[in-house]
């Protein structure tokens, strides 16, 4: 089979929740991906993998080759790329080993835990390692459509954005893109407040009772001179019934507030448009259950490249980052999220937490990854 036609062979390191989700996404798209194998030190997980796969989110798994170590995965599975689902500290030596073996890596977020580790990871890329980061929140269907509006010029030059869609570096990644910035310096003020709120469902199901729980509500303001970014997130916000995601982007000619866009047309008259979610599987639909995409005034802002696979929005974004990495490795396509971007987002998170802890204004400074390379 020609290299441009064959499926990407993807290896996975780890067997926790994230690995199980990636494995489920790969199995849901057999025309694109082949599971080269899963490396895990957990003997029980290896046995489960060989017998019936690793269930994710209450859904059954499919069997996959299981290996006790990364070298065994490389020797037996021959992956085109490896997805690391390890914590930042544990991932660093594995990334170095895979880089030395010439194997492309898509590593879990955060890319590293400290500024020094982030700089060392960028040096590895500068020396020729093919390493990218599995940051997918900006690729969730609605968020990608919202960011497309922000970047389209419809709102005019963006002056401020308020993002409350994901925690820490994930939310800051979306905020950077909403503002249209990369490595610009910012003055940061932040606070973290303990509050009480109703509990959220967990990965395993609804809360057992509705007794109030403690949560930390984080807010940060990033002043970039002519642009202001506000980051906000509540610890229980994911899956919450009473805390919803929100995204606001303002420009000189209009604003986007969640799914509503207000702007002034070329004729000088006000316009109000709505981001429309187009999905199959509703009443009277016999197409199956899948998302087609998002439109604005009839124009597609996001089209689901993985239809008709039955994947929720967060797993569509995981499919996208893995597919982008595979297309880069196999076909030389534009690479996905770089180590430099991931390093900047993690750096901003560390500075936000420093500002919140000190109660003082913090100013970021230029970092070495700002002028680093990405893998060729």
């Amino acid at each position: 089979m020609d290299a441009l036609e064959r499926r990407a062979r993807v290896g996975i390191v780890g067997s926790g929740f994230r690995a199980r989700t990636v494995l489920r996404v790969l199995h849901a798209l057999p025309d694109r991906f082949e599971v080269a194998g899963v490396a895990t030190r957990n003997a029980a997980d290896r046995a489960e993998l060989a017998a019936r796969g690793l269930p994710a989110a209450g859904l059954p798994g499919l069997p996959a080759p299981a290996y006790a170590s990364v070298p065994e995965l490389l020797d037996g599975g021959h992956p085109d790329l490896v997805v690391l689902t390890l914590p930042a500290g544990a991932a660093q030596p594995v990334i170095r080993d895979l880089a030395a073996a010439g194997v492309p890596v898509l590593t879990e977020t955060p890319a590293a835990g400290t500024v020094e580790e982030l700089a060392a990871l960028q040096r590895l890329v500068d020396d020729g390692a093919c390493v990218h980061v599995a940051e997918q929140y900006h690729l969730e269907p609605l968020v990608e459509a919202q960011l497309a509006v922000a970047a389209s010029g419809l709102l005019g030059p963006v002056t401020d954005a308020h993002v409350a869609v994901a925690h820490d570096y994930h939310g800051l990644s979306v905020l950077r893109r909403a503002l249209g910035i990369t490595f610009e310096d910012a003055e940061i003020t932040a606070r973290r407040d303990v509050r009480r709120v109703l509990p959220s469902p967990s990965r395993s199901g609804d809360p057992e009772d509705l007794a109030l729980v403690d949560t930390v509500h984080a807010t940060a303001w990033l002043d970039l001179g002519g642009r202001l970014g506000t980051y906000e997130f509540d610890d229980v916000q994911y899956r919450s019934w009473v805390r919803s995601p929100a995204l606001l982007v303002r420009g000189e000619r209009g604003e986007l507030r969640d799914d509503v866009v207000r702007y002034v047309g070329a004729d000088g008259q006000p316009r109000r448009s709505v981001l429309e979610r187009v999905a199959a599987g509703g009443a009277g639909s016999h197409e199956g259950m899948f998302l087609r995409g998002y439109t604005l005034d009839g124009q597609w802002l996001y089209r689901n490249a993985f239809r008709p696979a039955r994947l929720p929005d967060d797993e569509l974004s995981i499919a996208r980052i893995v597919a982008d990495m595979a297309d880069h490795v196999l076909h030389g396509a534009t690479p996905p999220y770089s180590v430099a971007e991931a390093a900047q987002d993690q750096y901003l998170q560390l500075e936000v937490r420093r500002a919140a802890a000190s109660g003082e204004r913090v100013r970021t400074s230029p970092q070495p990854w700002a002028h680093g390379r990405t893998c060729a």
Side-chain angles (χ1 to χ4, degrees):
M1 182 180 292
D2 186 271
L4 294 178
E5 297 176 355
R6 72 175 178 86
R7 298 177 297 170
R9 290 182 56 79
V10 181
I12 299 173
V13 177
S15 58
F17 171 79
R18 183 71 163 178
R20 293 165 186 252
T21 303
V22 172
L23 189 58
R24 197 178 91 77
V25 168
L26 299 181
H27 278 142
L29 298 166
D31 58 325
R32 288 177 174 263
F33 303 117
E34 181 180 355
V35 179
V38 179
T40 174
R41 295 179 180 177
N42 189 309
D45 284 347
R46 290 200 302 275
E48 188 177 20
L49 268 166
R52 63 188 185 93
L54 296 175
L59 299 170
L62 289 173
Y67 299 95
S69 68
V70 173
E72 289 181 17
L73 169 62
L74 300 186
D75 290 340
H78 305 290
D80 296 309
L81 65 111
V82 169
V83 179
L84 293 190
T85 64
L86 304 177
Q92 304 312 306
V94 181
I95 292 172
R96 290 193 292 270
D97 289 346
L98 288 168
V103 178
V105 179
L106 183 63
T107 189
E108 175 65 287
T109 57
T114 67
V115 170
E116 292 75 21
E117 289 174 340
L118 292 166
L121 188 56
Q122 180 60 51
R123 288 195 296 273
L124 196 64
V125 175
D126 291 340
D127 290 339
C130 185
V131 182
H132 286 279
V133 180
E135 176 57 59
Q136 86 279 3
Y137 278 85
H138 64 287
L139 299 175
E140 287 197 355
L142 176 57
V143 176
E144 184 168 337
Q146 292 168 323
L147 293 177
V149 173
S152 69
L154 184 66
L155 309 179
V158 171
T159 55
D160 55 288
H162 185 131
V163 171
V165 299
H167 73 284
D168 294 338
Y169 45 86
H170 298 305
L172 290 164
S173 168
V174 175
L175 182 61
R176 275 199 310 105
R177 288 170 178 261
L179 290 170
I181 64 171
T182 52
F183 303 106
E184 290 88 338
D185 288 327
E187 289 191 347
I188 300 173
T189 53
R191 58 183 296 166
R192 294 170 60 84
D193 305 301
V194 177
R195 300 180 181 179
R196 301 278 284 170
V197 69
L198 288 170
S200 301
S202 69
R203 290 168 178 164
S204 59
D206 292 351
E208 295 182 0
D209 61 60
L210 295 181
L212 294 177
V213 297
D214 287 336
T215 184
V216 175
H217 185 88
T219 312
W221 296 267
L222 284 71
D223 186 345
L224 294 115
R227 286 167 289 185
L228 176 66
T230 303
Y231 158 83
E232 184 180 12
F233 198 75
D234 194 296
D235 276 357
V236 301
Q237 187 168 314
Y238 291 128
R239 308 180 195 86
S240 176
W241 295 329
V242 295
R243 293 290 184 270
S244 58
L247 195 152
L248 169 66
V249 181
R250 289 194 175 103
E252 294 176 352
R253 297 187 59 84
E255 74 168 25
L256 166 98
R257 185 182 293 271
D258 297 330
D259 62 350
V260 177
V261 182
R262 293 178 173 86
Y263 63 101
V264 175
D267 59 359
Q269 297 301 306
R271 299 283 191 274
R272 181 184 185 277
S273 301
V274 177
L275 287 169
E276 182 181 359
R277 183 180 178 89
V278 184
S285 172
H286 298 271
E287 299 176 84
M289 184 72 72
F290 63 90
L291 174 68
R292 286 195 175 277
Y294 276 91
T295 65
L296 183 72
D297 294 335
Q299 300 296 313
W300 290 100
L301 293 178
Y302 169 86
R303 299 192 74 173
N304 178 13
F306 306 105
R307 61 187 190 277
R310 191 170 180 172
L311 294 171
D313 284 22
D314 61 327
E315 292 181 12
L316 286 173
S317 65
I318 293 171
R320 172 72 178 279
I321 195 74
V322 178
D324 285 354
M325 183 69 177
D327 287 343
H328 172 62
V329 170
L330 294 179
H331 315 317
T334 301
Y337 204 81
S338 69
V339 166
E341 284 189 271
Q344 186 69 10
D345 294 331
Q346 173 70 337
Y347 170 58
L348 289 176
Q349 179 208 200
L350 294 172
E351 293 299 271
V352 163
R353 287 184 174 258
R354 183 162 72 94
S358 68
E360 299 177 353
R361 182 181 292 261
V362 168
R363 181 162 183 84
T364 65
S365 57
Q367 297 299 313
W369 52 77
H371 302 290
R373 58 170 289 185
T374 60
C375 70

